[in-house]
Every structure is written in C-alpha cells, then in structure tokens.
C-alpha cells in the first residue's frame, strides 16, 4: 500500500516536531515515529538550551566558545548562522508554550555548563526537554494537517535504487521519493511517498553498552542514509558525558546534568580529592572531552569503577529547587545529595557526526533533509559544547522547513515505486540471535572504540564486527522484518562508520583520542 503526502517527517524529537509544525500550514504532513510521540532523546534533556539572550553575552562570544570546544574543526559560518538565529527561535518556542525558568526579576534564569564563558543556558528546572516536548506535542496533535503514525518504524529511504537503477555513491543526482515504513503490529511495510522528507531520527548511544540515551537511539537515520548512498561525516566524534549516575544495573544510565557543575558541584576521586586541576585550568567546567578523559584516567589509576560528584557544600535549598529530579532519583537509591557524594561515570551521550547537510538542512540526496542529532551541520567540530544540541536541532529544523516550502510546488510525488519486496519468510523465534549480537557489538565498541582508542583496538573492533555483520545480513535476508532486527542492522552500520572514520584520522583531536598519536 502506498501513502502520499507533501511532507514526510521521520522522528518526533525537537527537530521533527519543529519541522512538522512549520510546514503543516502549507501542506499535508505524515509524522512517523517508532514508539510513542513523546519518546525521544529530547524528552530526557536536562541542562537546557544555549542561546544569546542578554549582554554581556554576544553572538561572538558564543561562537568563540563553540569553536574552541570543537577544537577549531567546526564550520564557523554554520556556527555563526545557528547562534545568530538563537534568540528568534527561542522566542518561537516560548510562543508555542514552552516555559523557561525566570529569576525574581522576571529575567530568564540562565545556567552555565562546560566550555561556556557566559551564563546562557535557558532551562526548565532539570527537565528542560520534557517541557519543550509537552508544549510541542500539544500543538502537533491539534494540527489538522498532521497525521501521526506512532509505533511505525522507518526501514529504508526510497531512491532510484528501488526503481531498478544501480545506485552507487558516485551515482549522480540520487533522489529521495519517501521511505518504506514498517507497521510492526500487522507486519506490513508501506511506501510513504512525499515531495520532501526529513530525517530527524536522533542519535546512536545504543551502539555502546553504557549510554545516557533512551532505547530509541539506534542510529536508524544515519544507517538508512548511508545505505541510500548519502554522505555521512565525522562519525569518529562520539561524545561521552562525564557524569552519568553510577548504577551498574540501570540501562540507559541516568544523567547527572553538567548544569550542576555550573552551579558549583565538583568532581572528586575515590579518596575524596579534587583532580580536575591536573587536567585543565577550567577544572570541573572544562569541555566534556577533557573531563571525560580525565575521569577515565583517574578510574584507570585507582582501579575503581567510578569517581564522585560532590554537591554537599552547596546551598541545600537552592540545590533541591534547581535539580529536583536528580535529588529524587539519587534519594531513591539511598544517596542524599545534600550529604553524600554522587558516584558518577562517563557514558556515551551524543553523536557529533552524521548525515552531512548544508545550511538549509539538505543532505547530499535530493529532496532529503536532515536535522537534529542525526545530522552533521558543522556546528560541533570535534566536540559539542553543552546545550548546543537542542539549539542546533531547533534552528536547523526551522531552516529546513523554510527551504522545503520554497520548493514543494515544483515537485511531483513519484508514481512508479514498487511495493516493498522481501524474500524473508522465517519468523524469527529466537530473539537470542539478535540480543546476543547486540550485546557483542556494544561490548566491542565500548572496549575498543570508546574514550581512548588505538590502531590495534580499532582493527580488532572491525574484524569482530565483520563477523557479526555477515551473520546479521544473512538473518535479515531470510527473516520476516522486525524492528529489533532492523535496529541491530542499523547499530552495526553506525559502529562500522565510527570505526572507519576513526581509522582515517591520524591525530588525536577533541573526542577522538588515540594512543598512537597522543594530543600534544
Ligand atoms: P530525538 O529527540 O532523539 O528524536 C528522535 C526521534 O526519532 C524519536 O522520536 C525516535 O523515536 C524517532 N526515530 C528514530 N528512529 C526511527 C525510525 N527508524 N523510525 C521512526 N522513528 C524513528 N542537549 C542539549 O542541547 N541540552 C541538554 O540539556 C541535553 N540534555 C541531554 C540529556 C540526555 C539524558 C541526553 C541523552 C541527551 C541530552 N542532550 C541535550 C542531547 C539532546 O537531547 C539531543 O541531541 C536532541 O534532543 C536530539 O533531538 P532530535 O530531534 O535530533 O532527536
Ligand atoms: C547536561 O545536562 O549535562 C546535558 C547537556 C547536553 O548534553 O548538552
């Protein structure tokens, strides 16, 4: 069965919802999301969204901090463009109903996080993402032009390949006609055909065995774009958040926001001694790559499984008021953050690379846009600065929508797209074939392709991944399609891209640190 629409949006995080709302006044939108609408990484965002709000902050200062965090590998033109639009887009979010915390004078209560030289992070207590999604979900559900497909899984981007042409990465003018979408409830795959398609599928933290990302973060959009021969870049830059709560039985890991360090919390080793001064003059508020590596090093020296974050010296009332969820979560595990240090450990958190896009969010595939964490705009360089991710998703989804609106009138929906075809007939009754391979990939990536890498580790990782890749492709060919199997395939593709891109880089910079070329 084919479904036709003007705009097809894959993903219901910040990027997907903003794009959908922006284009919906001008045409029909299908919004496809693999679980429920509110389940996205955006919903878990704690610290907030960075924007230039008041002096003494300025676009120049925010640009400088962002470029420094990315160690100069960011694209300054894109960084300036995104930050330059920050204030306008924040106003849009507020107009759509998002509430950010204010101080007693009614001004926004701006926080500060690693790498920021000014207070510029708008937030809603310690659950900013939930508040943003609350406001946007109401608007999206109320819009008559938006059809929502929850629990639907995007499988493949439809290109000339599906019309029988041989599409290699050098094939000129690869075009996106839409996406094949699986409805797992009745096991049917439909072609959703559109004039313009946006991939806003988020990150890929599930490639690692310890991550702050929710289960949806399996890199589906990046893997699909890669299979469709789109350009993917900068995948070696995987950001590990320095402070996830150390609670070995909990997956995904609970995040202890960097904003709490901005508020004065300090990192300590297992003996209770501060250590960040040994690594960077900005100490606990140094950029994330530096802090995560320092913690990794301290854990290696001590042989312990975690370090501590100490908030006990901070004003107790303000602490609980500002970080109520962290207080509650820790207390549920017997940790009273007013009296006890919080055990913390780094966890995979954010994918800086992804689907390469231009300043309008256009990928290298015609009529296919990408925004949010699955895109690579050039904003983050080799290391993303805290709270710049929501900003990038917000601005770029808006820009992609504006650009798409200028072109849809001249595009015809493709009419010669075949039904989904698969030879797979075997109903996979042994989920262990999928779950065990997933664990293996996650362990390989965590042990060999984590915070510190080496040529030897990367080579080993690739060899082992190759075997799992071949087994999974065979399983995919013979099986009836399932979400879990598709996700495993996507995770393997993303792992492959991370390793390959890491192998190509012959220096240590930002989030890519290799023992073969230590940073000077
Ligand atoms: P997401 O919000 O992840 O949404 C992706 C959507 O795509 C989901 O709806 C998902 O279900 C859907 N999807 C994925 N694959 C498919 C498929 N195959 N078919 C259909 N649907 C699919 N950044 C900040 O700037 N500030 C913060 O304070 C902050 N805090 C964070 C805290 C945590 C715990 C984490 C994990 C990240 C945090 N980040 C923060 C990063 C930030 O939240 C994300 O980068 C951002 O929300 C990504 O938004 P997105 O719209 O690109 O994707
Ligand atoms: C945090 O709150 O520490 C996460 C912020 C981010 O990832 O930008």
């Amino acid at each position: 069965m084919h479904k036709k629409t003007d705009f097809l949006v894959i993903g219901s995080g910040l990027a997907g919802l903003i794009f959908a709302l922006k284009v919906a006044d001008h045409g029909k939108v299908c919004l496809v999301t693999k679980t429920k609408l509110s389940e996205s990484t955006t919903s878990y965002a704690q610290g907030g969204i960075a924007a230039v709000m008041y002096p003494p902050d300025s676009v120049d200062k925010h640009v400088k901090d962002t470029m420094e965090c990315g160690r100069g590998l960011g694209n300054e033109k894109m960084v300036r463009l995104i930050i330059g639009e920050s204030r306008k887009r924040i106003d849009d979010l507020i107009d759509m109903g998002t509430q950010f915390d204010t101080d007693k004078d009614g001004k926004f209560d701006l926080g500060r996080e690693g790498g920021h030289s000014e207070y510029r992070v708008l937030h809603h207590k310690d659950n900013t993402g939930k508040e943003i999604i609350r406001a946007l979900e109401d608007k999206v559900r109320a819009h008559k032009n938006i059809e929502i497909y929850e629990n639907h899984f995007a499988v493949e981007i439809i290109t000339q390949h599906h019309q029988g042409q041989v599409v290699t990465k050098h094939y000129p003018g690869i075009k996106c006609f839409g996406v094949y979408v699986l409805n797992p409830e009745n096991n049917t795959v439909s072609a959703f055909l559109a004039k313009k398609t946006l991939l806003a599928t988020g990150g890929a933290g599930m490639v690692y065995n310890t991550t702050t990302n929710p289960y949806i973060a399996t890199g589906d959009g990046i893997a699909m774009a890669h299979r469709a021969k789109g350009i993917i870049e900068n995948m070696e830059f995987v950001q590990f958040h320095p402070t996830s709560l150390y609670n070995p039985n909990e997956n995904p890991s609970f995040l202890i926001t960097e904003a709490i360090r901005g508020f004065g919390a300090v990192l300590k080793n297992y003996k209770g001694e501060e250590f960040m001064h040994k690594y960077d003059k900005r100490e606990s508020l140094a950029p994330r790559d530096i802090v995560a590596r320092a913690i990794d090093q301290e854990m290696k020296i001590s042989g312990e499984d975690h370090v501590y974050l100490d908030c006990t010296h901070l004003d107790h009332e303000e602490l609980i008021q500002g970080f109520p969820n962290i207080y509650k979560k820790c207390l549920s595990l017997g940790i009273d953050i007013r009296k006890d240090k919080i055990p913390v450990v780094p966890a995979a958190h954010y994918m800086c690379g992804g689907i390469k896009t231009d300043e309008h969010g256009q990928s290298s595939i015609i009529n296919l846009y990408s925004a949010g964490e699955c895109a690579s705009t050039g904003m983050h360089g080799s290391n993303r600065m805290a709270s710049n991710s929501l900003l990038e998703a917000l601005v770029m989804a808006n820009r992609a929508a504006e650009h798409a609106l200028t072109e849809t009138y001249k595009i015809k929906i493709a009419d010669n797209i075949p039904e989904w075809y698969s030879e797979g007939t075997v109903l996979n009754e042994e989920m262990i074939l999928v779950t065990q391979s997933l664990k293996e990939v996650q362990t390989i990536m965590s042990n060999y392709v984590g915070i510190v890498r080496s040529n030897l580790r990367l080579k080993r990782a690739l060899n082992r991944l190759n075997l799992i890749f071949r087994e999974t492709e065979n399983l995919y060919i013979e099986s009836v399609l399932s979400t879990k199997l598709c996700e495993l395939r996507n995770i393997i593709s993303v792992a492959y891209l991370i390793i390959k891109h890491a192998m190509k880089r012959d220096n240590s910079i930002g989030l890519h640190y290799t023992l073969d070329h230590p940073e000077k």
Side-chain angles (χ1 to χ4, degrees):
M1 193 209 47
H2 288 2
K3 173 105 210 144
K4 294 186 179 173
T5 185
D6 295 310
F7 304 97
L8 174 61
V9 179
I10 311 293
S12 59
L14 176 60
L17 297 186
I18 287 289
F19 182 96
L21 283 169
K22 184 95 193 181
V23 294
D25 290 341
H26 308 272
K28 292 274 174 214
V29 182
C30 284
L31 174 66
V32 173
T33 188
K34 70 178 173 180
T35 62
K36 58 183 176 76
L37 192 143
S38 58
E39 183 59 1
S40 62
T41 305
T42 304
S43 291
Y44 295 83
Q46 293 186 359
I49 178 162
V52 177
M53 298 302 287
Y54 313 117
D57 199 9
S58 66
V59 170
D60 282 343
K61 283 186 188 170
H62 193 163
V63 169
K64 182 168 178 283
D65 293 346
T66 301
M67 289 300 292
E68 261 173 34
C69 269
R71 304 290 181 286
L73 286 200
N75 173 341
E76 188 164 346
K77 185 181 145 224
M78 285 304 299
V79 173
R80 191 165 286 283
L81 185 150
I82 291 170
I83 292 170
E85 287 185 22
S86 62
R87 180 67 206 242
K88 268 197 251 151
R89 299 289 81 88
I90 292 291
D91 288 345
D92 291 349
L93 271 188
I94 294 168
D95 287 346
M96 290 181 208
T98 306
Q99 295 182 359
F100 293 113
D101 292 348
T102 50
D103 63 19
K104 58 182 181 345
D105 303 320
K107 285 179 87 179
F108 290 111
D109 174 37
L110 302 176
R112 199 174 145 208
E113 295 175 66
H116 291 273
S117 60
E118 292 289 347
Y119 285 82
R120 62 166 75 98
V121 181
L122 290 133
H123 57 92
H124 181 94
K125 303 217 180 297
D126 55 357
N127 58 5
T128 310
K130 225 177 221 87
E131 168 59 15
I132 293 175
I133 294 297
R134 178 201 61 73
L136 299 185
E137 179 170 2
D138 286 352
K139 294 263 177 248
V140 165
R141 289 204 187 274
H143 205 297
K144 65 176 187 348
N145 272 354
I146 304 180
E147 253 177 62
I148 302 170
Y149 292 83
E150 292 180 287
N151 301 310
H152 279 64
F153 187 91
V155 182
E156 291 298 357
I157 295 165
I158 305 170
T159 67
Q160 292 95 326
H161 165 76
H162 298 96
Q163 297 173 317
Q165 298 182 34
V166 178
V167 177
T168 65
K169 72 178 170 198
H170 304 295
Y171 183 87
I174 305 174
K175 268 191 193 155
C176 168
F177 302 121
V179 170
Y180 283 115
V181 176
L182 168 71
N183 178 356
E185 209 169 276
N186 56 15
N187 255 321
T188 54
V189 179
S190 310
F192 278 55
L193 304 177
K195 295 178 179 171
K196 293 282 185 180
T197 299
L198 172 81
L199 286 181
T201 49
M206 284 292 149
V207 168
Y208 290 88
N209 59 18
T210 310
T211 177
T212 59
N213 289 191
Y215 287 112
I216 54 100
T218 51
D220 300 345
I222 297 173
M224 279 192 283
H226 173 61
R227 284 196 293 272
K229 311 289 184 268
I231 299 177
I232 311 292
E233 65 174 13
N234 291 344
M235 293 294 287
E236 67 273 40
F237 300 126
V238 180
Q239 183 168 72
F240 284 75
H241 196 292
T243 57
S244 77
L245 179 63
Y246 175 73
N247 184 20
N249 295 325
E250 186 171 354
N251 190 15
S253 305
F254 182 81
L255 182 76
I256 305 292
T257 176
E258 197 160 302
I260 210 162
R261 275 178 277 140
F263 185 68
V266 286
L267 286 160
K268 295 190 169 166
N269 64 19
Y270 83 106
K271 291 188 201 150
E273 296 160 349
E274 289 187 31
F275 58 85
M276 273 311 300
H277 57 277
K278 291 190 281 178
Y279 300 90
D280 194 282
K281 63 176 186 314
R282 289 161 288 187
E283 302 191 8
S284 290
L285 274 182
R288 273 188 198 162
D289 56 333
I290 296 169
V291 182
R293 233 169 11 247
I295 295 175
D296 190 64
Q297 176 70 4
E298 290 293 314
M299 283 164 41
K300 289 211 167 82
I301 294 169
S302 68
E304 299 292 320
D305 291 336
H306 60 80
V307 294
Y308 289 105
L309 188 65
D310 191 354
C311 313
T312 55
H313 56 289
L314 301 173
D315 182 291
H316 291 170
E317 212 172 297
E318 284 180 16
L319 181 66
I320 294 171
Q321 216 179 1
F323 304 96
N325 291 308
I326 289 176
Y327 171 68
K328 264 191 247 146
K329 172 71 188 185
C330 290
L331 206 56
S332 76
L333 298 172
I335 304 161
D336 182 342
I337 65 174
R338 296 170 299 180
K339 295 187 290 204
D340 306 318
K341 295 193 287 295
I342 310 171
V344 290
V345 66
H349 182 66
Y350 183 83
M351 173 51 76
C352 292
I355 304 162
K356 184 176 165 59
T357 63
D358 67 7
E359 72 269 31
H360 303 297
Q362 296 184 101
S363 75
S364 62
I365 299 177
I366 296 167
N367 295 332
L368 180 70
Y369 295 80
S370 174
E373 191 166 337
C374 65
S376 175
T377 63
M379 172 84 172
H380 310 303
S382 66
N383 176 42
R384 174 179 68 100
M385 189 164 73
S387 290
N388 264 352
S389 162
L390 291 176
L391 172 65
E392 184 203 37
L394 174 67
V395 172
M396 290 310 296
N398 188 77
R399 290 185 68 83
E402 279 176 353
H403 189 268
L405 288 173
T406 63
E407 293 201 335
T408 36
Y409 73 93
K410 55 183 174 191
I411 300 168
K412 257 185 74 210
I413 296 177
D415 52 12
N416 51 352
I417 301 299
E419 298 288 339
W420 173 258
Y421 173 74
S422 160
E423 287 170 8
T425 51
V426 180
L427 205 53
N428 181 12
E429 279 167 359
E430 283 197 284
M431 266 314 280
I432 191 73
L433 296 177
V434 173
T435 54
Q436 177 58 27
S437 293
L438 175 62
K439 278 187 206 151
E440 284 176 30
V441 176
Q442 291 170 331
T443 307
I444 290 166
M445 293 302 286
S446 296
N447 290 341
Y448 294 140
V449 200
I451 295 174
V452 177
R453 302 157 180 182
S454 72
N455 290 339
L456 183 62
R457 291 180 194 178
L458 293 177
K459 198 157 172 281
R460 278 203 170 193
L462 191 61
N463 286 341
R464 279 155 178 71
L465 193 70
N466 270 331
L467 174 65
I468 305 172
F469 167 74
R470 284 197 300 276
E471 286 172 355
T472 308
E473 285 307 293
N474 289 338
L475 191 63
Y476 180 80
I477 290 166
E478 67 197 26
S479 302
V480 170
L481 214 57
S482 77
T483 299
K484 288 286 158 227
L485 182 54
C486 290
E487 286 181 339
L488 171 62
R489 245 185 126 214
N490 292 336
I491 283 174
I492 292 170
S493 294
V494 171
Y496 170 83
L497 287 164
I498 296 171
I499 298 169
K500 279 291 197 183
H501 291 198
M503 281 176 152
K504 279 203 190 124
R505 186 162 286 288
D506 61 3
N507 61 339
S508 284
I509 183 160
L511 295 162
H512 175 72
Y513 191 89
T514 166
L515 295 171
D516 298 299
H517 305 278
E519 216 168 14
K520 293 188 186 90

